[in-house]
């Protein structure tokens, strides 16, 4: 009898079913939606908000209410594997049974990320690559085809070639700077269009409005990896995308503390599919990591604005340096897609990422640059990071593929932090002068 009841709960898709209750649980600080009246009873003012708050306000508060038992302003860390059920009939009534499926702390982060990205709901997982894998696993099967950008994060390129192709999926890696090229690559078995804007590391842009329109015309799902942009620079769902990928490790965390990823869905139907895959794969985030990211993301707007301003100043300096042959930053007039950048990016912000081609030995530059620059593999952090992509982040790409998309041997990627930009410029000038 119990087995039959559990089976029914896992197969039912009605809005009131236990399955949908944990899929659509809108719990803040561990309180179920049904129990939200008790939270409101804690303080009449704690749940009363002025309408139409800005992103800066939402990224701090994002629906969080004081804990109903203690009044704690922060979402508690629920380090609990399992959750006690009142009875079989009330199984999942509070939205939680087992932390692989749902955890109150992680759920709060998922809701906040979805709100900031203008989506319906989200899954938060262990890394950005976990979010990418979850997306492809949710929407593609053997024999299906994906049109994907020919310049993406190296890990995305590798998992498509080394794992998913081996499982019988097809991928065409094409130039996404021209929407017509994307449309021409669509086949009868195309199920997914995978864009990245700006791309890692070349900072090319995809016209998300045009590509989303193409996807809808062909009844294909459009997912965009928007890690470089952050929601402060561009929200793909504002431009018609069905799904957004974020490596939360980067700008959401911003402090080099934790790793995480998010896959945000536009609709309940898309969310149900990604949530099922997450639950089956056990692809989850630790409650402690979720708690930390709920705090670090509060300053994302402050950081991204400072990083964007500093990146523009550094890019302008590098354009005039004799040891630099090329500089690419979406805010520069020299960027080949400047018009699209200005149209698609929010509030005149173009992010903290840029790259340049050095005329001398890139390895010597890496080995000689002084602090505050940091030589490591990450981006989006408060610390400024410099990376030789050909031998570090994109070393797993085939050399011919790397060169085809413009990642030369002298390609230097910069992730601008929040330090004084003049100090960062002095550090670059010193290292470039030694070449």
């Amino acid at each position: 009898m119990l087995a039959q009841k559990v089976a029914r709960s896992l197969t039912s898709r009605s809005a009131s079913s236990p399955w949908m209750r944990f899929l659509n649980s809108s719990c803040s600080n561990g309180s179920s939606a049904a129990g939200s009246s008790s939270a409101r009873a804690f303080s009449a003012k704690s749940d009363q908000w002025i309408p139409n708050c800005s992103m800066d306000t939402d990224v701090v508060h994002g629906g969080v209410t004081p804990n109903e038992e203690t009044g704690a302003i922060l979402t508690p860390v629920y380090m609990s594997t399992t959750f006690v059920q009142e009875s079989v009939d009330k199984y999942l009534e509070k939205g939680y049974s087992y932390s692989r499926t749902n955890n109150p702390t992680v759920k709060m982060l998922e809701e906040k990320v979805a709100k900031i990205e203008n989506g319906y709901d989200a899954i938060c997982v262990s890394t950005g690559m976990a979010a990418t894998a979850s997306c492809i696993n949710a929407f593609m099967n053997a024999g299906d085809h994906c049109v994907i950008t020919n310049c993406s994060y190296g890990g995305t390129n590798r998992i498509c070639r080394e794992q998913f192709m081996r499982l019988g999926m097809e991928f065409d890696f094409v130039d996404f700077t021209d929407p017509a090229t994307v449309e021409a690559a669509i086949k009868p078995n195309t199920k997914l269009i995978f864009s990245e804007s700006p791309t890692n590391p070349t900072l090319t842009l995809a016209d998300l409005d045009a590509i989303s329109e193409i996807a809808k015309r062909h009844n294909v799902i459009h997912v965009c990896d928007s890690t470089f942009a952050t929601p402060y620079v561009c929200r793909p769902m504002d431009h018609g995308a069905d799904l957004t990928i974020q490596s939360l490790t980067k700008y959401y965390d911003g402090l080099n503390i934790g790793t995480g990823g998010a896959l945000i869905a536009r609709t309940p139907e898309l969310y149900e599919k990604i949530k099922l895959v997450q639950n089956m794969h056990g692809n989850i985030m630790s409650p402690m990591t979720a708690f930390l990211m709920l705090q670090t993301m509060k300053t994302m707007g402050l950081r991204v604005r400072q990083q964007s301003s500093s990146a523009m100043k550094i890019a302008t300096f590098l354009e005039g340096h004799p040891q630099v042959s090329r500089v690419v930053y979406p805010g520069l007039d020299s960027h080949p897609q400047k018009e699209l950048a200005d149209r698609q990016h929010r509030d005149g912000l173009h992010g903290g990422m840029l790259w340049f081609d050095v005329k001398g030995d890139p390895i010597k530059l890496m080995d000689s640059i002084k602090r505050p620059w940091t030589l490591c593999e990450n981006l989006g952090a408060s610390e400024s990071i410099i990376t030789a992509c050909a031998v570090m982040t994109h070393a797993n790409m085939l050399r011919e593929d790397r060169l085809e998309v413009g990642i030369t041997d002298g390609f230097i990627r910069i992730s601008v932090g929040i330090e004084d930009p003049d100090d960062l410029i002095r550090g670059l000038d010193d290292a470039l002068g030694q070449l």
Side-chain angles (χ1 to χ4, degrees):
M1 187 69 179
L2 177 59
Q4 292 175 338
K5 187 176 185 65
V6 172
R8 284 198 303 271
S9 75
L10 291 175
T11 56
S12 172
R13 290 297 183 267
S14 70
S16 61
S17 70
W19 174 256
M20 288 305 291
R21 280 202 294 270
F22 84 65
L23 283 184
N24 300 316
S25 167
S26 56
C27 306
S28 298
N29 289 343
S31 303
S32 68
S36 60
S37 60
S38 62
R40 285 193 292 270
F42 173 79
S43 170
K45 293 183 179 179
S46 66
D47 252 6
Q48 295 179 3
W49 289 89
I50 61 171
N52 303 319
C53 291
S54 71
M55 185 185 294
D56 283 334
T57 300
D58 284 339
V59 82
V60 174
H61 298 281
V64 177
T65 57
N67 181 264
E68 62 185 82
E69 293 183 2
T70 66
I73 195 170
L74 301 182
T75 301
V77 185
Y78 288 92
M79 298 295 286
S80 182
T81 303
T82 191
F83 301 86
V84 176
Q85 307 299 308
E86 185 176 338
S87 69
V88 173
D89 284 337
K90 294 183 178 180
Y91 176 59
L92 281 174
E93 188 172 80
K94 296 180 180 180
Y96 302 98
S97 64
Y98 190 63
S99 276
R100 172 171 55 82
T101 300
N102 257 353
N103 175 278
T105 312
V106 179
K107 188 61 198 171
M108 186 68 257
L109 177 63
E110 290 171 338
E111 290 182 359
K112 181 174 278 193
V113 170
K115 184 177 184 66
I116 298 305
E117 296 284 351
N118 199 25
Y120 169 75
D121 210 335
I123 59 170
C124 286
V125 293
S126 54
T127 65
M129 275 307 303
T132 296
S134 295
C135 178
I136 296 173
N137 278 308
F139 298 104
M140 290 187 66
N141 296 303
D144 289 343
H145 173 254
C146 173
V147 182
I148 186 169
T149 174
N150 63 354
C151 184
S152 64
Y153 170 58
T156 302
N157 184 289
R158 176 169 57 180
I159 197 172
C160 292
R161 294 182 184 277
E162 298 295 328
Q163 179 176 342
F164 290 121
M165 281 185 174
R166 180 167 51 84
L167 297 176
M169 301 177 193
E170 302 173 23
F171 294 85
D172 275 328
F173 300 85
V174 305
D175 180 4
F176 268 58
T177 61
D178 183 1
T181 303
V182 176
E183 185 163 26
I186 293 175
K187 301 177 180 180
N189 60 333
T190 301
K191 295 295 188 293
L192 191 66
I193 294 175
F194 195 124
S195 65
E196 187 174 306
S197 188
T199 55
N200 180 0
T202 57
L203 295 171
T204 57
L205 308 180
D207 187 332
L208 299 181
D209 287 300
I211 292 171
S212 294
E213 178 57 36
I214 290 168
K216 286 177 176 57
R217 194 158 59 243
H218 292 271
N219 196 29
V220 174
I221 292 170
H222 176 205
V223 58
C224 178
D225 186 332
S226 189
T227 297
F228 266 33
T230 82
Y232 275 91
V233 175
C234 179
R235 299 192 300 186
M237 290 186 190
D238 290 349
H239 301 276
D242 300 297
L243 300 151
T244 298
I245 290 173
Q246 284 286 351
S247 174
L248 301 178
T249 310
K250 310 307 190 289
Y251 288 96
Y252 272 83
D253 178 277
L255 300 178
N256 280 317
I257 292 176
T259 62
L263 180 58
I264 305 99
R266 172 183 285 278
T267 67
E269 294 76 19
L270 293 173
Y271 172 69
E272 182 177 342
K273 289 183 179 181
I274 64 176
K275 184 63 181 177
L276 177 61
V277 166
Q278 180 198 33
N279 190 46
M280 292 189 299
H281 288 191
N283 194 354
I284 61 174
M285 175 181 282
S286 158
M288 190 68 223
T289 300
F291 172 81
L292 292 171
M293 287 195 178
L294 280 166
Q295 315 321 317
T296 59
M297 69 182 289
K298 293 176 182 178
T299 61
M300 179 165 52
L302 298 173
R303 288 184 275 108
V304 169
R305 290 186 185 94
Q306 175 64 39
Q307 289 162 317
S308 295
S309 173
S310 296
M312 185 65 185
K313 190 170 185 178
I314 292 168
T316 302
F317 158 75
L318 288 170
E319 272 200 317
H321 200 285
Q323 288 299 117
V324 175
S325 60
R326 187 184 182 194
V327 182
V328 173
Y329 178 65
L332 291 173
D333 289 338
S334 58
H335 193 284
Q337 296 174 287
K338 182 63 163 60
E339 183 276 331
L340 176 59
D342 289 341
R343 171 162 46 90
Q344 191 161 275
H345 291 172
R346 298 161 53 95
D347 301 326
L349 298 175
H350 298 291
M353 302 302 301
L354 63 100
W355 68 268
F356 65 96
D357 223 333
V358 64
K359 291 181 180 178
D361 181 1
I363 306 301
K364 184 177 180 181
L365 177 68
M366 294 295 99
D367 291 342
S368 62
I369 197 158
K370 297 182 177 67
R371 307 300 298 273
W373 287 101
T374 303
L375 176 62
C376 63
E377 289 193 25
N378 194 23
L379 61 94
S382 297
E383 298 84 3
S384 291
I385 294 170
I386 190 165
T387 305
C389 290
V391 295
M392 295 176 70
T393 55
H394 289 69
N396 55 49
M397 284 184 72
L398 297 173
R399 189 171 188 272
E400 55 267 33
D401 289 349
R402 177 169 59 77
L403 293 175
E404 184 180 347
V405 297
I407 307 175
T408 64
D409 294 337
F411 189 110
I412 306 298
R413 188 186 73 182
I414 283 178
S415 172
V416 179
I418 61 173
E419 305 95 338
D420 187 323
D422 291 333
D423 289 337
L424 296 172
I425 287 171
R426 286 196 296 120
L428 283 170
D429 195 30
D430 175 74
L432 288 167
Q434 298 179 45
L435 298 179

